[in-house]
């Protein structure tokens, strides 16, 4: 019996050992990971998995990251390693990555580290200066924090990875673009022409305008194009044109809006009056991009000239080629009817800049899409455009133009409409020193009929909100802050975070917003789906009739009944019904030039009558509507797209273009979690509880323990007394 028990122990030990070995073997062969973070921060999005699963050529990622960096950069390196591990897990055999050692130990650099640092610089990755605090001493350290992506012969890079925000989005976007770029280059029907317009007349005047390296540009540009051709599969064709002797080249200079420099006679220098152009144009088919190689700027000291950075011209040319070969999805921007311009003029000439230009918005959108300007009064919406942005129109649309927008939507495409209800007119300052009060005039564009047909409308008022942006006042005006009630601050409770592209967007700021109304009966009749994306707080009110946005005129009303929450932005989706169903195609109104041509001898210009069939019930499309265009202006959108408002704008555009996976990926790492608003009663209760409640609880607990110990003592005494009596 004893031997059986002894051997039984050995049997159980052996069985346990076999189980442990089998579990380890299963763990090695059956790979499993679980991301317990709320937003799946450490898991790849569906778009990222698809990007690396469908690679058709080798993709190599080289990471140059200095080791043992101080926080938070060490966390960035760890996150990057985990992220690339995830890419490797879900990729096919064409994906690989490697971290290169670029760290110098105590100032000594071995040969391998030196080669790695030289390779990083060769790829355009240079060390950046970071701050390091050691023993209460602030030190500065140079560190490499970049990566290079090599896909076939196409090379792209991220020169500085200083944050984890949007890192997965950036890497996946670059992988997708590189994949699309290779396909586009291999399927080109004609070469991409890189045309240098360089006037030989610069030879005499270059020393006079302090540009000694100007005459070296042709040789350097040609060498640059030959070098780039190795990574563009030989599709680039270099052409040089001299506008000084070629009248055709001069006409092309004007067509491409390149700067033409003019100079007078300079007898002392032996220079005769003349003109010159130095510009680069990249074109393929009917698409072209242009850049000036000599920039002009003026200040109080006179006119000066600056030569473009030829060293960085390779990256600029690469971006221009990407645009003209159309590797990005097209998105249309209405450039007529008084909408805000995308470009802001020459940055070196402050007087020419347009304060209303959407330069930051243009920069953000152009990074993901090919922006196509649409002149709706002169042409139809171009083919290949799946989304049209209408930002702040101020001029009325004709029936023909409304018909174009309507039928564009009926084709199953999308509209982003940012509609202003009032045009702010600032009177010219008179001779006195008084303040000229702006005048707000109603804007009538004719879009209201279309919007009501689609189940929505924009109110003719401004929404003011007690929960609004606080403006810091300068010390000259007494300091402190004041509420800008016309700039509602949208909190988490007013944002519809049930939608994937709205998740992790915790706060927004809008300016001069008008309320948006969903016409539920129309939406229900057409079988559409509608969502309010965000609303004002329940402490908001409307300013209608007489608009006055001066601080003393925007005070909250005393009547509590006027306060209510109002929708500010909506998304409506489905198969819309055309406003023109059952009617005739409107005629294109003749312009003044058309009328003159028709009246000329032999002129026979007729209004363009539509003979196309009207689409009465469209394919499923989408409309985003917001009652302000201020949200895309430079004073709201930052130039790097780091704000939550910029994330919201780009996510909406992604949703309109069917890129929901990218929208969700962009906002996945957003970690801003503001505290919820609490009432005065709740605040008083919490404060009282912390001051008086906690001590009372401690005292009560101590009294309870004292009573329990006294009761236990009495029980013990009673027990021993009973035992003594029995004895």
């Amino acid at each position: 019996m004893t031997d059986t028990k002894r051997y039984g122990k050995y049997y159980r030990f052996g069985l346990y050992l076999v189980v442990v070995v089998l579990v380890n073997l299963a763990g090695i062969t059956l790979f499993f990971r679980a991301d317990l973070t709320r937003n799946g921060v450490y898991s790849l999005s569906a778009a990222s998995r698809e990007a690396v699963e469908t690679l058709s050529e080798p993709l190599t990622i080289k990471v140059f990251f200095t080791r043992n960096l101080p926080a938070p950069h060490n966390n960035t390196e760890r996150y990057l390693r985990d992220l690339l591990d995830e890419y490797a897990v879900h990729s096919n055999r064409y994906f690989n990555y490697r971290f290169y050692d670029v760290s110098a130990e105590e100032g000594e650099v071995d040969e391998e580290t030196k080669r790695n640092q030289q390779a990083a610089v060769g790829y355009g990755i240079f060390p950046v200066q970071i701050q390091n605090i050691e023993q209460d001493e602030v030190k500065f350290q140079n560190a490499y924090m970049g990566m290079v992506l090599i896909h076939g012969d196409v090379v792209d890079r991220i020169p500085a990875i200083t944050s984890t925000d949007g890192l997965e989005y950036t890497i996946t976007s670059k992988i997708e673009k590189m994949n699309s770029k290779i396909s586009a280059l291999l399927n080109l029907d004609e070469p991409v022409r890189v045309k240098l317009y360089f006037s030989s007349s610069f030879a005499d005047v270059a020393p006079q305008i302090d540009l000694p390296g100007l005459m070296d540009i042709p040789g350097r540009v040609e060498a640059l194009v030959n070098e780039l051709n190795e990574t563009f599969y030989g599709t680039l064709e270099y052409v040089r044109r001299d506008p000084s002797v070629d009248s055709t080249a001069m006409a092309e200079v004007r067509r491409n809006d390149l700067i033409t420099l003019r100079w007078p006679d300079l007898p002392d220098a032996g220079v005769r009056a003349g003109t010159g152009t130095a510009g680069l144009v990249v074109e393929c088919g009917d698409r072209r991009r242009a850049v000036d190689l000599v920039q002009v700027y003026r200040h109080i000291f006179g006119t000066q000239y600056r030569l473009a950075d030829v060293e960085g011209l390779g990256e600029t040319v690469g971006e221009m080629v990407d645009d003209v070969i159309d590797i990005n999805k097209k998105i249309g921007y209405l450039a007529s009817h008084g909408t805000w311009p995308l470009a802001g003029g020459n940055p070196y000439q402050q007087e020419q800049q347009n304060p209303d230009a959407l330069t930051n918005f243009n920069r953000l959108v152009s990074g993901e899409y090919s922006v196509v300007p649409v002149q709706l009064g002169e042409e139809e919406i171009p083919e290949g455009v799946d989304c049209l942005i209408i930002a702040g129109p101020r001029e009325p649309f004709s029936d023909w133009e409304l018909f174009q927008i309507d039928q564009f939507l009926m084709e199953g495409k999308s509209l982003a409409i940012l509609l202003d209800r009032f045009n702010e007119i600032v009177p010219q300052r008179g001779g006195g020193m008084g303040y000229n009060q702006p005048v707000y005039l109603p804007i009538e564009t004719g879009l209201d009929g279309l919007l009501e047909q689609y189940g929505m409308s924009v109110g003719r008022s401004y929404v003011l909100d007690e929960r609004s942006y606080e403006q810091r006042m300068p010390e000259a005006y007494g300091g402190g802050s004041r509420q800008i009630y016309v700039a509602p601050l949208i909190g988490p409770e007013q944002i519809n975070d049930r939608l994937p592209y709205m998740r992790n967007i915790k706060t927004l700021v809008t300016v001069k917003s008008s309320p948006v109304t969903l016409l539920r009966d129309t939406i229900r009749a057409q079988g559409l789906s509608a969502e309010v994306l965000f609303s004002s707080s329940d402490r908001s009110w409307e300013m209608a009739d007489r608009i006055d946005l001066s601080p003393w005129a925007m005070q909250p009303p005393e009547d509590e009944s006027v306060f209510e929450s109002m929708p500010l932005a909506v998304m409506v989706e489905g198969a819309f019904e055309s406003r023109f169903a059952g009617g005739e195609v409107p005629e294109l109104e003749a312009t003044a030039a058309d009328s003159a041509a028709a009246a000329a001898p032999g002129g026979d210009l007729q209004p363009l009558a539509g003979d196309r069939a009207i689409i009465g019930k469209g394919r499923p499309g989408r409309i985003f509507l917001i009652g302000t265009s201020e949200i895309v202006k430079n004073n709201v959108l930052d130039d790097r797209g780091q704000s939550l408002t910029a994330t919201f704008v780009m996510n909406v555009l992604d949703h309109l273009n069917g890129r929901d996976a990218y929208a969700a990926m962009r906002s996945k790492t957003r970690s801003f979690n503001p505290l919820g608003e609490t009432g005065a009663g709740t605040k008083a209760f919490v404060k009282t509880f912390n001051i008086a409640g906690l001590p009372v609880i401690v005292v009560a607990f101590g009294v309870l323990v004292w009573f329990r110990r006294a009761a236990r003592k009495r029980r013990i005494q009673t027990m021993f007394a009973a035992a003594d009596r029995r004895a």
Side-chain angles (χ1 to χ4, degrees), residues 55 66 111-112 140 165 207 259 264 436 451 472 483 540 554 558 571:
L55 291 173
T66 302
E111 288 301 321
E112 181 180 1
F140 292 95
D165 288 343
I259 294 176
N436 292 330
L451 294 176
R472 298 292 179 183
Q483 297 289 127
S540 60
M554 291 192 296
E558 298 180 358
M571 182 76 70

Side-chain angles (χ1 to χ4, degrees), residues 230-251:
E230 299 178 1
T231 60
F232 281 88
Y233 296 91
T235 58
L236 303 184
E237 179 182 293
Y238 174 72
V239 179
R240 179 183 173 181
R241 308 290 298 275
D242 187 352
S244 299
V245 298
D246 188 346
S247 59
T248 304
M250 196 63 209

Side-chain angles (χ1 to χ4, degrees), residues 51-52 55-62 87 91-98 148-152 154 156 171 174-176 178-179 182:
V52 293
L55 291 173
S56 57
E57 290 194 32
L59 171 66
T60 300
I61 296 180
K62 298 182 178 182
Y87 278 107
S91 66
N92 58 23
R93 61 190 177 92
Y94 291 115
F95 180 88
N96 63 88
Y97 73 93
R98 177 183 172 186
V148 178
L149 298 89
I150 306 173
H151 189 35
V154 179
D156 205 343
I171 294 175
K174 288 185 177 294
I175 293 174
E176 183 194 33
M178 294 173 79
N179 228 340
I182 291 176

Side-chain angles (χ1 to χ4, degrees), residues 220-267:
R220 299 178 69 176
V221 170
E222 184 175 5
L224 172 65
V225 174
N226 292 333
E227 181 181 347
L228 289 175
N229 236 339
E230 299 178 1
T231 60
F232 281 88
Y233 296 91
T235 58
L236 303 184
E237 179 182 293
Y238 174 72
V239 179
R240 179 183 173 181
R241 308 290 298 275
D242 187 352
S244 299
V245 298
D246 188 346
S247 59
T248 304
M250 196 63 209
E252 294 177 1
V253 165
R254 289 191 291 268
R255 184 179 66 179
N256 290 293
D257 293 326
L258 294 175
I259 294 176
T260 298
L261 303 182
R262 303 179 186 276
W263 55 87
D265 284 321
L266 302 174

Side-chain angles (χ1 to χ4, degrees), residues 21 91 94 516 529 542 617:
V21 172
S91 66
Y94 291 115
V516 179
S529 64
E542 292 183 79
K617 181 79 170 180

Side-chain angles (χ1 to χ4, degrees), residues 440-502:
Y440 296 87
L441 302 179
I443 298 175
E444 299 292 344
T445 62
L447 288 174
D448 296 292
L450 277 186
L451 294 176
E452 291 175 2
Q453 172 66 28
Y454 306 145
M456 63 198 86
S457 66
V458 179
R460 299 179 182 276
S461 61
Y462 280 143
V463 175
L464 281 63
D465 201 328
E466 282 190 351
R467 182 175 181 178
S468 56
Y469 176 77
E470 288 190 12
Q471 180 185 23
R472 298 292 179 183
M473 301 300 294
E475 293 298 332
Y477 291 91
S481 63
R482 69 177 180 184
Q483 297 289 127
I484 307 299
Y485 296 115
V486 78
L489 185 63
I490 313 300
E493 55 277 0
Q494 281 86 47
I495 296 176
N496 184 357
D497 60 358
R498 300 188 310 273
L499 304 172
Y501 57 93
M502 295 294 294

